[in-house]
Amino acid sequence: MAITNRDLDTSQQRDWISWNSGGLSFGASYGAPGGIGVGGVATGVTLFLTGQMPYPYVLQSVQALAVGVSGSPQLAFSILRPLASAGMTSIAVSISNMVIAQGASFSGYGSSGPYSLGYSGLAATGSTLLLGQRGDIIVASTAVANTACNLLTVNLVVQKVQDILQMDGV
């Protein structure tokens, strides 16, 4: 008999998704005054962290790492869900903005040097807000404040919830 998704331990049902704003560049223009270097993230933008999700899921965890920050950047997470009629709806899954707080220092990484870490800020485990459908797009919006960064990496953990797992309906 075939092993189905429901027969697997929850640790085997999880996928790890990593989004990166771009590769580090150590050229003369990286972190140059008056602009954001290669891979930088400005304030007040929406970042598409995933393409369309290929299966139903539960969003379990979000972590972020920022390098070369100017302040403490904030991220608000949402799920964009396509509608059958036309357009999309946005579902906020954050209970508050994730503040990427100042951390230790890496010399040579960007204009201000420090790297910063942020954790979840999602609704509580078990919340129906975290239930996703096939076709959803997970996004993060940066706060409109003077808190850009040279490099941003966001890691997501999702749990597949189909009994018999299909990718994009196949």
Side-chain angles (χ1 to χ4, degrees):
M1 185 169 154
I3 296 175
T4 59
N5 193 49
R6 70 175 161 222
D7 295 331
L8 299 174
D9 184 72
T10 55
S11 64
Q12 294 175 297
Q13 295 173 355
R14 293 187 181 122
D15 270 343
W16 173 70
I17 300 167
S18 186
W19 178 89
N20 190 317
S21 65
L24 284 174
S25 167
F26 294 99
S29 66
Y30 186 75
I36 296 174
V38 174
V41 175
T43 61
V45 297
T46 299
L47 309 169
F48 287 71
L49 303 177
T50 67
Q52 292 183 302
M53 292 297 290
Y55 46 74
Y57 63 95
V58 175
L59 183 58
Q60 292 191 322
S61 172
V62 179
Q63 292 186 51
L65 168 82
V67 177
V69 298
S70 60
S72 293
Q74 296 181 34
L75 299 173
F77 298 96
S78 300
I79 294 173
L80 293 181
R81 182 163 295 153
L83 299 175
S85 56
M88 295 192 144
T89 188
S90 178
I91 303 164
V93 295
S94 297
I95 54 171
S96 65
N97 285 359
M98 174 196 288
V99 177
I100 305 175
Q102 295 283 342
S105 179
F106 284 162
S107 61
Y109 288 100
S111 55
S112 60
Y115 78 91
S116 305
L117 297 170
Y119 298 95
S120 268
L122 297 175
T125 300
S127 171
T128 56
L129 290 173
L130 302 176
L131 293 174
Q133 298 176 3
R134 181 171 67 96
D136 286 354
I137 300 166
I138 302 172
V139 300
S141 300
T142 62
V144 184
N146 190 18
T147 54
C149 62
N150 283 336
L151 176 73
L152 178 65
T153 298
V154 179
N155 291 332
L156 308 159
V157 175
V158 296
Q159 180 180 354
K160 304 172 219 166
V161 294
Q162 282 180 318
D163 285 341
I164 299 174
L165 183 64
Q166 294 182 342
M167 303 294 246
D168 291 327
V170 178

